[in-house]
Amino acid sequence: MLLAHLPLAWIVARAAGMVALALLTLSTWLGLAMSTRVLGTRHQKRLLGWHRTLVWTGLSMLVLHAGSLLLDPVLHFGLPSVLVPFASPWHAGAVAMGVIAGWLSLMLALSFRARRWIGQRGWRALHYTSFAAFGLALMHALYAGTDFAGVRGPIVATVALAPVLWLGFLRILEPRRSPARATVGTAARRAAAPSTPSVAGSPC
């Protein structure tokens, strides 16, 4: 059996890396779906909880991925290789993409707790780096990973990118439609206000 000749640490590193990429992708999809309101507005708090859970679970898989690489007897990765961009002696550029994506993901995860200090506008601006984290993680998987060689790489990239591109374009176009909807909504509320019955004789 082929797996019997592979180091266990390398198998764990590959598996954890793929799970981390999947969780980061799902987190990116969910974050964009929330910002575009395609899932509605009734369950935003619950969806935000799931979004944060996906980010932190993905980071835990990323830690397992990096820790397993440190134990691999073939690559001989040192601590700087998994923490410092371009410090890896093996595929330095491809590994650096993963390292940078990991640090960006950690920054985004911590930003949820710092939201009250950086403000809503700053927090939203900071979250635009999630596109960079996602893109770098995907390129890291394609160029440094051995599981996406051949035709599997383009298939994985297409499946991961398609919802991000669609939701991203929807998010870009959303502000242009928002003022019109806000105007219509305000007019509708004003038109409905006079016909609303008062309670106990007091004005509404």
Side-chain angles (χ1 to χ4, degrees):
M1 187 175 179
L2 180 61
L3 292 179
H5 301 286
L6 294 176
L8 178 61
W10 177 240
I11 298 174
V12 173
R14 289 164 57 187
M18 287 190 290
V19 173
L21 175 64
L23 292 172
L24 176 60
T25 301
L26 289 174
S27 174
T28 304
W29 291 354
L30 183 56
L32 283 170
M34 291 171 59
S35 67
T36 54
R37 311 293 195 199
V38 297
L39 299 178
T41 59
R42 295 183 58 186
H43 305 291
Q44 288 290 96
K45 186 175 182 179
R46 182 182 301 177
L47 292 174
L48 180 61
W50 277 106
H51 181 55
R52 296 177 62 178
T53 299
L54 286 170
V55 172
W56 283 110
T57 307
L59 284 171
S60 67
M61 289 295 102
L62 184 59
V63 171
L64 179 60
H65 174 65
S68 300
L69 289 175
L70 293 176
L71 299 176
D72 183 72
V74 178
L75 294 178
H76 302 291
F77 267 38
L79 196 59
S81 298
V82 297
L83 295 179
V84 181
F86 302 103
S88 170
W90 180 82
H91 294 279
V95 174
M97 294 179 188
V99 174
I100 297 172
W103 285 118
L104 288 176
S105 299
L106 178 60
M107 177 189 68
L108 290 168
L110 294 174
S111 72
F112 286 103
R113 296 187 177 276
R115 192 171 179 174
R116 65 179 67 180
W117 292 288
I118 62 179
Q120 181 70 11
R121 180 174 297 181
W123 185 78
R124 286 185 178 276
L126 183 64
H127 263 63
Y128 281 111
T129 59
S130 62
F131 290 104
F134 168 75
L136 289 170
L138 182 59
M139 288 190 292
H140 168 74
L142 295 176
Y143 291 106
T146 58
D147 295 285
F148 300 133
V151 70
R152 287 174 293 183
I155 292 175
V156 169
T158 301
V159 172
L161 273 174
V164 173
L165 293 176
W166 176 64
L167 291 169
F169 281 120
L170 189 63
R171 181 67 182 88
I172 293 172
L173 296 174
E174 183 72 14
R176 298 178 183 177
R177 298 197 302 266
S178 295
R181 285 206 300 267
T183 302
V184 172
T186 302
R189 286 194 297 271
R190 288 176 178 174
S195 61
T196 303
S198 60
V199 179
S202 60
C204 296

